C-alpha cells in the first residue's frame, strides 16, 4: 500500500514538474510579429514553413506571420513598432531612411533574401516590343509605388530608353490592362506578373520579359528588416530568427512543391500548382541566382550596396543621401555553414 502510494506521489510530482517545465518554456518563448511584403503567395513559404515545422518554436520564438500590401507599408510598420520584423524591398528601406533622417526608430536590413531585384519590364510580343529600344515613346503601366516603376530611370539609362508615358493603376488591374491593350508594357515582379498574365489566358511564350538584373540594373531586392527596438533589446532573438529561417529556406529551395502546403494552410483558396511555379520562379531568378551564389546567401557586397544607395538617392530624389552603413547590419547572420543553402546549378 505504501509502495503504491509512493509511486502515485512520484508520478504526480513528475507530472507537476513536467507541466511546470512546459509552462516555463511556453512563457520563455519570445513573441515576434513578422510582416510579409505581399499576400500569401508562393514566396511566402520561406517564412510560413519554419513556423509550421516548429523551427522558430525550437529556437525559443513565437513567430506570427501576417500578409502585407507592399514594401513601403512594411517599412513603416516596422518603424512604428507595430511589427518587430518584416520582409521588404531594400530600396524602399533606403528611401524611408533618407527621407526621415531625424527619425530615431529606423528599421535596418539584417539578411538579404532576394539577391537581385525581381523587377522586370514585360510586354506582349504582339505589341511589337522585342527589345529595350522599342520601349521609347510607349505607354507603360504600374502602381505608383511599384519597385520596377520607381527604378525605371536606372533601367532606361542603362539601356538607352527614351521618354515613356506612365499610367497608374491598382495592383490587381496591372496585368488586365496589359492584356486589354490599355498599356504597351508593365513593370512588376517577374514571378508575380508573368503568372498573373498566364492566369488571364496569356502564354508565357507570348510575353517579352526584360529582368532588370539581366539588363544592367544590379539592385538588391527584398531583405529581412528588423526594428531598432528589437536590435537594442533582444539581438539574440534576431540571431535565432535568422538561423531558423535559413534552416527552413534550405528545405524550401530543395522541395518547393512540399513547401506550398504551408501557404495553402494560411490561404485555402490559393492555386497549389500556380503558387508552386511562382515559388520556383522566385528561387531561380532572385534567391538562387548567379549573383547570390557568388556573394553568399543572406549577405551583401559593400561596394554593390553603396552603388545602389547612390542610385536610389538619385532616382528617388531623397531628402538626404542614403547612407549604406545605416541601412545594413550583417552582425546577426548565421555562420557560413548555416548560410550554405544554395544548390549549385
Amino acid at each position: 500500500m505504501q509502495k503504491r502510494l509512493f509511486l502515485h506521489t512520484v508520478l504526480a510530482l513528475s507530472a507537476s514538474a513536467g507541466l511546470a517545465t512546459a509552462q516555463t518554456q511556453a512563457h520563455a518563448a519570445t513573441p515576434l510579429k513578422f510582416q510579409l511584403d505581399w499576400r500569401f503567395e508562393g514566396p511566402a513559404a520561406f517564412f510560413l514553413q519554419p513556423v509550421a515545422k516548429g523551427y522558430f518554436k525550437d529556437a525559443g520564438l513565437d513567430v506570427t506571420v501576417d500578409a502585407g500590401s507592399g514594401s513601403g507599408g512594411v517599412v513603416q510598420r516596422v518603424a512604428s513598432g507595430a511589427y518587430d520584423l518584416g520582409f521588404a524591398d531594400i530600396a524602399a528601406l533606403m528611401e524611408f531612411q533618407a527621407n526621415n533622417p531625424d527619425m530615431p526608430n529606423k528599421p535596418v536590413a539584417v539578411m538579404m533574401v532576394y539577391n537581385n531585384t525581381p523587377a522586370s519590364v514585360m510586354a506582349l510580343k504582339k505589341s511589337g516590343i522585342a527589345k529595350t529600344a522599342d520601349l521609347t515613346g510607349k505607354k507603360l503601366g504600374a502602381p505608383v509605388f511599384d519597385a520596377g516603376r520607381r527604378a525605371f530611370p536606372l533601367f532606361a539609362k542603362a539601356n538607352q530608353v527614351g521618354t515613356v508615358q506612365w499610367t497608374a493603376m491598382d495592383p490587381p488591374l496591372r496585368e488586365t490592362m496589359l492584356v486589354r491593350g490599355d498599356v504597351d508594357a508593365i513593370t512588376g515582379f517577374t514571378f508575380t506578373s508573368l503568372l498573373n498574365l498566364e492566369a488571364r489566358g496569356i502564354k508565357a511564350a507570348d510575353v517579352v520579359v526584360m529582368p532588370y538584373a539581366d539588363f544592367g540594373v544590379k539592385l538588391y531586392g527584398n531583405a529581412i528588416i528588423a526594428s531598432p527596438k528589437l536590435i537594442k533589446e533582444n539581438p539574440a532573438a534576431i540571431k535565432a530568427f535568422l538561423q531558423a529561417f535559413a534552416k527552413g529556406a534550405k528545405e524550401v529551395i530543395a522541395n518547393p512543391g512540399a513547401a506550398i502546403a504551408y501557404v495553402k494552410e494560411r490561404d485555402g483558396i490559393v492555386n497549389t500548382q500556380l503558387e508552386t511555379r511562382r515559388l520556383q520562379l522566385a528561387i531561380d531568378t532572385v534567391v538562387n541566382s548567379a549573383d547570390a551564389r557568388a556573394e553568399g546567401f543572406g549577405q551583401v557586397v559593400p561596394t554593390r550596396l553603396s552603388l545602389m544607395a547612390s542610385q536610389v538617392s538619385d532616382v528617388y530624389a531623397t531628402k538626404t543621401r542614403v547612407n549604406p552603413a545605416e541601412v545594413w547590419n550583417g552582425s546577426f547572420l548565421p555562420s557560413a555553414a548555416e548560410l550554405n543553402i544554395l544548390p549549385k546549378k
Side-chain angles (χ1 to χ4, degrees):
M1 185 72 179
Q2 287 182 333
K3 185 177 180 181
R4 185 180 300 173
L5 179 62
F6 174 75
L7 288 174
H8 279 301
T9 303
V10 170
L11 289 172
L13 288 172
S14 298
S16 298
L19 179 61
T21 301
Q23 290 175 336
T24 300
Q25 291 175 340
H27 289 305
T30 301
L32 292 177
K33 292 189 66 179
F34 183 92
Q35 184 166 57
L36 296 168
D37 61 327
W38 201 236
R39 298 184 289 261
F40 291 122
E41 295 183 341
F46 278 109
F47 300 97
L48 298 178
Q49 192 254 28
V51 171
K53 297 195 74 171
Y55 296 158
F56 289 132
K57 184 178 180 181
D58 292 343
L61 306 175
D62 179 15
V63 178
T64 302
V65 177
D66 293 334
S69 56
S71 290
V74 176
V75 175
Q76 291 175 5
R77 292 181 188 108
V78 173
S80 71
Y83 283 85
D84 304 293
L85 298 153
F87 190 49
D89 180 7
I90 199 169
L93 176 64
M94 288 180 170
E95 180 184 25
F96 181 86
Q97 285 205 4
N99 283 339
N100 297 278
D102 300 323
M103 178 176 283
N105 298 317
K106 290 184 287 227
V108 177
V110 294
M111 175 182 270
M112 188 59 60
V113 181
Y114 292 170
N115 185 278
N116 301 102
T117 175
S120 66
V121 177
M122 282 158 278
L124 302 185
K125 287 184 178 179
K126 66 181 183 180
S127 69
I129 297 174
K131 55 187 183 299
T132 55
D134 298 332
L135 295 169
T136 300
K138 294 298 192 295
K139 184 184 293 185
L140 271 65
V144 293
F145 58 81
D146 176 69
R149 176 172 177 171
R150 301 297 304 279
F152 186 78
L154 295 174
F155 180 92
K157 182 178 180 180
N159 297 283
Q160 299 180 330
V161 177
T163 303
V164 301
Q165 303 174 48
W166 282 100
T167 297
M169 74 282 288
D170 290 332
L173 294 177
R174 172 174 22 205
E175 294 79 22
T176 299
M177 291 183 69
L178 180 63
V179 173
R180 289 194 318 217
D182 297 332
V183 294
D184 301 306
I186 58 174
T187 58
F189 281 9
T190 308
F191 54 74
T192 296
S193 291
L194 184 59
L195 296 188
N196 288 349
L197 285 169
E198 286 192 30
R200 288 160 177 77
I202 303 298
K203 296 180 180 178
D206 295 329
V207 182
V208 177
V209 182
M210 304 175 190
Y212 279 32
D214 295 342
F215 284 81
V217 185
K218 291 290 187 178
L219 299 178
Y220 283 112
N222 285 33
I224 295 173
I225 65 174
S227 71
K229 183 176 185 293
L230 185 64
I231 290 174
K232 180 180 179 181
E233 297 180 0
N234 199 346
I238 301 176
K239 289 185 177 181
F241 181 94
L242 297 184
Q243 284 178 319
F245 170 77
K247 179 180 179 180
K250 183 176 182 178
E251 295 179 356
V252 172
I253 293 170
N255 193 348
I260 290 299
Y262 304 115
V263 181
K264 186 81 171 177
E265 287 179 1
R266 291 300 302 268
D267 186 350
I269 66 171
V270 302
N271 182 316
T272 299
Q273 183 179 8
L274 181 68
E275 296 310 325
T276 300
R277 291 185 59 214
R278 195 189 307 278
L279 175 56
Q280 186 66 66
L281 189 57
I283 291 170
D284 292 340
T285 57
V286 297
V287 178
N288 190 21
S289 65
D291 289 326
R293 293 192 297 277
E295 297 179 8
F297 178 75
Q299 305 172 64
V300 300
V301 172
T303 52
R304 182 180 165 193
L305 187 69
S306 294
L307 174 60
M308 180 177 176
S310 179
Q311 292 173 324
V312 168
S313 300
D314 293 336
V315 301
Y316 285 42
T318 54
K319 291 181 181 178
T320 61
R321 302 293 294 180
V322 177
N323 182 351
E326 294 181 359
V327 171
W328 173 258
N329 185 340
S331 66
F332 306 105
L333 288 172
S335 67
E338 291 170 309
L339 290 175
N340 185 22
I341 69 172
L342 300 178
K344 295 181 180 178
K345 289 190 176 180

